[in-house]
Amino acid sequence: MSGQLLVFVICGAFAVLGALGLLFFHKAVHAALSLALVMINLAAIYAALDAALLAMAQVIVYTGAILMLFLFVIMLVGIDRRESHRELIPGQGVVAILAGIGTLGLLVFAILGSFPAQAVGLEAANGGNVESLAALIFGSYVFAFEFISALMIIAPIGAMVLAQQARLTAKKTQRERAAARIEAYAQKGVHPGTLPNSGVTALQDSIAVPGLLPAGRISTSSVSQAMVDRDAVVNVHAVSLLTAQRFAELSGEVPPAIIKPEPVDLVDTKDERELLK
Amino acid sequence: MGILEITAPTFEWLELSPLLTVLIGAVLGVVVEGLVPRAYRNLLQVAILVVTIFTAAGLLIVNWISARLGIFAMGALVLDGPAYVTWAAELLFGGLAILIFAERRAGQGASVFVAAAATVPGSKDERLANSIGREHTEVYSLALFSLSGMMVFAASNDLITMFIALEVMSLPLYLLSALARYRRLLSQEAALKYFLLGSFASAFFLFGIGLVYGFSGSLTLEGISSSITLSGTGRGLLLAGIVLLAVGLLFKIGAVPFQSWVPDVYTGAPTPVTGFMAIGVKFAAVMGLARVFFVALGGERWSWQPVLAVIAVLTMAVGAVLALTQTNIKRLLAYSAVSHAGFVLTAVVGANAFVPDGQINALGAISFYLIAYGFATVAAFGIVTLVRKGAGETLELGDWAGLGVREPVLAGAFAVALLSFAGIPLTAGFIGKWAVFSSAWSGGYAWLSIVGVGFSLIAAYLYLKVLVSMFFADPASSVSAVKPSLATWIPVIVGAIGSLVFGLFPGPLMDLLSHAEVFLR
Amino acid sequence: MNPEMVALLAAVLFVLGAVGVLIRRNALVIFMCVELMLNSANLLLVSFAYAHGSLDGQVAAFFVMVVAAAEVVVGLSIIVSVYRSRRTTSVDAPDLLKL
């Protein structure tokens, strides 16, 4: 068994496995990774077929650029989203698989036996794969090469038109923002200074921990509204209870009186922010 | 292994100048987007569009008169009679259809394109973008790029150039379909559907290219043709390749069984874009299909002609019958586009018959049919943009009742377009239908012409039904047509007059086509 | 190695991609299946280039890669804009257009 054949058998098997993964994985991100498997293995087969430059381009362009773009978009739309496999048209899947088997039969029938008896190989034509390809690309295919640049212009324009959220109003300057703050203070009494920091406890110091006011109440403006929206705000009183118990265990003393936890109510944060807008 | 000598490629700048002009116009449009303040962009883009189309058309006419025929651009493009006819038609119809993009009276001073495509439909940002009068002026550039793709598609001499042209033609159309101002969800959905099915079809086309390359070892049409005549082995690859190539091409034409995207995309896309793709893509795709099947696969025509004949019949049937059930004017025009694809395919089937000198051959018939269809399409879709109920277009056929009473000029132009679609005598559509059916007849497919006549009678009934409701029914309430600017008037009037003139005096165009229509190999 | 086998592999991948387009419901995955089909066509071109001893197939495969890159940009931006409007990438959810 020649090395070329070995490469083909191994990589071909992996490529088919990857393609099957694309069909059967429920999550889009798994499908993308199995497509990456297919592409890497195809690159190896290209290398075995005397297409060294193409093998490199396959890895760089497909696996490096195209699949990364796919992954970006998958992250954008939510990585753990599962797709439903409910069929809208009953029997569609069966029909599709039957059609696929039929097409495969047609293609196998077409390919088998109709091949040139002996592969010519590319030793003669290659003479340095890169140079020979360059001669073709800048020779008889130069028009295609130039014309494809139209696609390279269309694609970014399309992406910018459909996906770039251009600023619709002028950006507020520092001065305007300061004036608006003072205006809000003058009219509605909103505190014009910086908002309080998030809190630090013995166990946690993330921005999800609200700061405590001197009386032990939670400072509602110390956590970002984004945290409130996502229900990510840490219940500090529960945490402080935990800390106190830990201290007691370590020192063997009776735990100090715990300030009674209040219900976490962060609604008024929103109101403050509304006033600031 | 030595360093290869690479000789510098040569370009025939003069011969390719119409195409290069369109590309330069498109790139200039992009530059304008980058450098010019928003307030002046629309005006400048329209100016660039008009100058580009006129310059390209002028250069094309000069080249055509000087008979600069041949294979150019290092063998990538072939400029023969059919290519010149296609280029001229694409410039004329494409230019007219893109001109409708500039119509602003239809939407209270705003274009039919979305103000800011990246905003979520119905959001605060969208209302803000509308209120400050944002607009996407990139659409002109994208349309010109698409136009250049159409021109190359019909003139490519090898399959890989053809594949690239297919993509240059299609990608801007996928984008443009997503940019409607009203019914944005519908528009985005149409774009998604068009994109997924379109790229699916072009994958088939590409695999077909691979198989045909495997058979012949060459990607040029001439190389494939000569290996068909020379080689006796490997027919399986060739046949499978033909099937897959046909899938890709028939998808773009909108023939059965690849027509399912047509009504949805035609309905969802902004109406001027629908008009542009209806004529532009169809013209380029049919001429490209004819070039591949006549030049490259002509030696194998005994195997593809019967299949194509069946597809033609199915396409005519589905288009004509489903059009009868439609109540939406754009869906109706979409199904009529499907049935027209069927009619024009009958002439492709009747190809390669012996034609006495001076008479129109199959290619001439195809071109004439498509030119007639182009005039009627430009006028029809131009008018659809104008009939309104409230802010958006009204597409319900019921609302169009009685339009002839209220808007006699527009309704008259629409009537001419519909009569031409129907193939009523004295319109260009009639001459076109006569040409394609007689071409199928002389190509040995008499039964196909008879079936075609049958289906065109069904289609004619449909168009007449619409006409009767437009002129003899009580006017529907609250529907009006906006008073358009020149940007719509010109295409509508040119379309209607063209449909009439080439129906009354088809002679000169027939002469031109019968002399021009031979593929160069 | 016999390029016939490579061509058969390409055919298998192509059909798997096509079936994937037909049975998957997520627009992103459908699009990945289209990419798989383009890849299989590339494999076919490369194997035939090897069989015929001509480099045209390899050049074609290069161009296909560039086209695929552009197509991906356009396609993903359409998918993203649909997702923004509807918060889903399933092709079943968009159903305003009926046959």
Side-chain angles (χ1 to χ4, degrees), chain A residues 33 86 107 130 172 235:
Chain A
L33 292 176
R86 193 173 54 89
L107 290 176
V130 182
K172 275 189 181 163
N235 185 348

Side-chain angles (χ1 to χ4, degrees), chain B residues 153 162 166 201 205 244-255 258 284-286 288-290 292-293:
Chain B
F153 190 72
M162 200 163 215
L166 181 78
F205 186 69
L244 294 189
L245 280 180
V247 170
L249 290 165
L250 291 174
F251 174 86
K252 285 292 162 197
I253 294 172
F258 315 107
V286 172
L289 177 118
V292 170
F293 277 69

Side-chain angles (χ1 to χ4, degrees), chain B residues 178-234:
Chain B
L179 296 180
R181 176 174 288 263
Y182 302 104
R183 302 187 180 92
R184 282 187 60 196
L185 290 181
L186 205 69
S187 165
Q188 289 176 345
E189 189 181 311
L192 182 65
K193 195 170 252 182
Y194 193 18
F195 171 76
L196 287 177
L197 292 176
S199 50
F200 189 45
S202 56
F204 274 90
F205 186 69
L206 188 68
F207 207 82
I209 291 178
L211 290 172
V212 172
Y213 171 67
F215 166 73
S216 79
S218 165
L219 286 165
T220 62
L221 302 185
E222 178 53 30
I224 294 162
S225 164
S226 62
S227 53
I228 287 177
T229 41
L230 290 178
S231 154
T233 59

Side-chain angles (χ1 to χ4, degrees), chain B residues 41-219:
Chain B
R41 284 186 200 166
N42 192 64
L43 193 68
L44 210 53
Q45 293 280 21
V46 176
I48 289 174
L49 168 73
V50 172
V51 171
T52 303
I53 296 288
F54 272 101
T55 315
L59 289 166
L60 184 77
I61 291 168
V62 170
N63 282 349
W64 202 352
I65 290 174
S66 327
R68 298 204 171 95
L69 306 177
I71 293 173
F72 301 120
M74 305 294 288
L77 290 182
V78 51
L79 285 183
D80 46 15
Y84 270 110
V85 170
T86 313
W87 283 22
E90 291 289 357
L91 284 173
L92 173 65
F93 299 130
L96 288 174
I98 304 173
L99 193 60
I100 304 180
F101 287 16
E103 177 60 64
R104 303 164 79 78
R105 293 199 195 160
Q108 287 99 36
S111 68
V112 295
F113 294 99
V114 63
T119 56
V120 175
S123 67
K124 205 166 68 180
D125 278 350
E126 188 195 33
R127 285 192 294 279
L128 179 62
N130 277 330
S131 67
I132 60 174
R134 273 298 166 88
E135 58 184 348
H136 280 302
T137 42
E138 296 94 342
V139 291
Y140 299 99
S141 247
L142 287 174
L144 279 177
F145 273 124
S146 180
L147 189 64
S148 74
M150 293 165 187
M151 290 167 75
V152 174
F153 190 72
S156 18
N157 195 34
D158 64 74
L159 289 176
I160 204 67
T161 308
M162 200 163 215
F163 176 70
I164 294 170
L166 181 78
E167 294 292 323
V168 174
M169 168 170 85
S170 308
L171 288 190
L173 290 176
Y174 302 148
L175 291 166
L176 288 171
S177 304
L179 296 180
R181 176 174 288 263
Y182 302 104
R183 302 187 180 92
R184 282 187 60 196
L185 290 181
L186 205 69
S187 165
Q188 289 176 345
E189 189 181 311
L192 182 65
K193 195 170 252 182
Y194 193 18
F195 171 76
L196 287 177
L197 292 176
S199 50
F200 189 45
S202 56
F204 274 90
F205 186 69
L206 188 68
F207 207 82
I209 291 178
L211 290 172
V212 172
Y213 171 67
F215 166 73
S216 79
S218 165
L219 286 165

